Amino acid sequence: MSQNATVAVIDYGMGNLRSVSQAVEHAAQGLNLDVVVTNDPAVVRAAQRVVLPGQGAMRDCMRELREAHGGELLGAVLDAAANKPLMGVCVGMQMLLDHSEEQDTPGLGLIPGKVIKFRLDGLKQADGSRYKVPQMGWNRVSQPRHEGVWGGQPHPVWAGIPDHSYFYFVHSYHAVVDTAQHSAGETEYGLRFTCAVARDNIFATQFHPEKSADHGLALYRNFLLWQP
């Protein structure tokens, strides 16, 4: 039987599980980690690290997560968020905040803040074209530094990834954090907004690392090596 540590990719029916799990598996090569896609609360509780993906409407994601295994899967995810490295992806990031405007949906309340819809009517890009919602495609991500947090450096999950690298986005809603120190990544699309959040042992991105080529794989690998 394998004695490797386990990374649990949460399967509650609402994530792009195949591409996420394949990217995490690729990033885990040589690290003595087993990557498992699971909806079993016991497996999540036993895992050393957890990845929470999400895709579609946040209300649907929250409902499916809350109802899975009679609420036991949600409990296991919340326990993980309290004591082991957890990475949220796309709607999996949005779910970590308090509330989303999308169908007036409460979140998990792990990162103080809200999720709001892009309001870009009338704004034009540098080439004169209108901003389209959803934002769909590659965009630069900056790595903010906060005094007194992470040693005044970018979050450690960015290690070795150049500032302003491109990552792949598909979203109509974006995060607004209550505390600037929880903003671990920022980008601009009509306005400057938070596209990665972090607190204690939690790190999460609005963009899709699994669709973001080498920098995305590097981000997953950094998460797998991260010791918060």
Side-chain angles (χ1 to χ4, degrees):
M1 179 179 292
S2 172
Q3 297 300 310
N4 289 347
T6 300
V7 183
V9 179
I10 306 297
D11 176 9
Y12 56 103
M14 294 299 296
N16 190 4
L17 296 175
R18 181 173 174 80
S19 62
V20 171
S21 62
Q22 285 183 335
V24 176
E25 286 173 1
H26 187 80
Q29 290 180 5
L31 298 182
N32 295 319
L33 291 171
D34 291 330
V35 180
V36 296
V37 177
T38 184
N39 65 358
D40 186 334
V43 174
V44 176
R45 292 184 191 281
Q48 281 67 49
R49 294 173 189 269
V50 172
V51 177
L52 179 66
Q55 189 166 289
M58 181 163 153
R59 174 179 283 184
D60 296 338
C61 290
M62 288 298 303
R63 182 189 66 247
E64 295 299 317
L65 180 59
R66 290 186 187 281
E67 293 180 356
H69 285 272
E72 291 185 20
L73 181 60
L74 172 59
V77 170
L78 291 175
D79 285 349
N83 59 40
K84 65 185 70 172
L86 181 145
M87 182 171 180
V89 180
C90 194
V91 180
M93 183 206 82
Q94 296 180 5
M95 293 165 69
L96 301 177
L97 277 71
D98 294 319
H99 184 268
S100 175
E101 285 186 345
E102 187 176 17
Q103 298 177 300
D104 190 23
T105 304
L108 298 175
L110 298 172
I111 303 285
K114 60 187 176 182
V115 180
I116 67 173
K117 188 174 179 65
F118 277 119
R119 295 178 174 87
L120 303 176
D121 290 350
L123 297 180
K124 293 187 178 181
Q125 304 189 66
D127 63 2
S129 63
R130 294 183 180 275
Y131 285 94
K132 295 180 180 179
V133 178
Q135 175 186 198
M136 185 178 299
W138 296 85
N139 205 345
R140 291 181 183 270
V141 174
S142 64
Q143 304 168 12
R145 302 169 185 239
H146 304 294
E147 185 176 351
V149 182
W150 317 317
Q153 298 299 311
H155 192 280
V157 175
W158 291 117
I161 299 172
D163 200 7
H164 305 296
S165 292
Y166 281 93
F167 290 86
Y168 191 82
F169 290 79
V170 182
H171 65 127
S172 300
Y173 293 78
H174 66 87
V176 180
V177 292
D178 289 354
T179 303
Q181 292 178 341
H182 291 153
S183 180
E186 298 175 357
T187 194
E188 293 189 15
Y189 190 71
L191 75 164
R192 189 173 183 87
F193 66 92
T194 292
C195 65
V197 299
R199 180 180 67 80
D200 303 327
N201 53 297
I202 297 171
F203 183 87
T205 68
Q206 176 64 64
F207 55 82
H208 291 268
E210 70 280 0
K211 298 180 181 179
S212 298
D214 290 347
H215 290 322
L217 291 175
L219 197 73
Y220 276 135
R221 189 173 179 87
N222 286 344
F223 168 71
L224 298 176
L225 293 167
W226 179 36
Q227 299 294 334

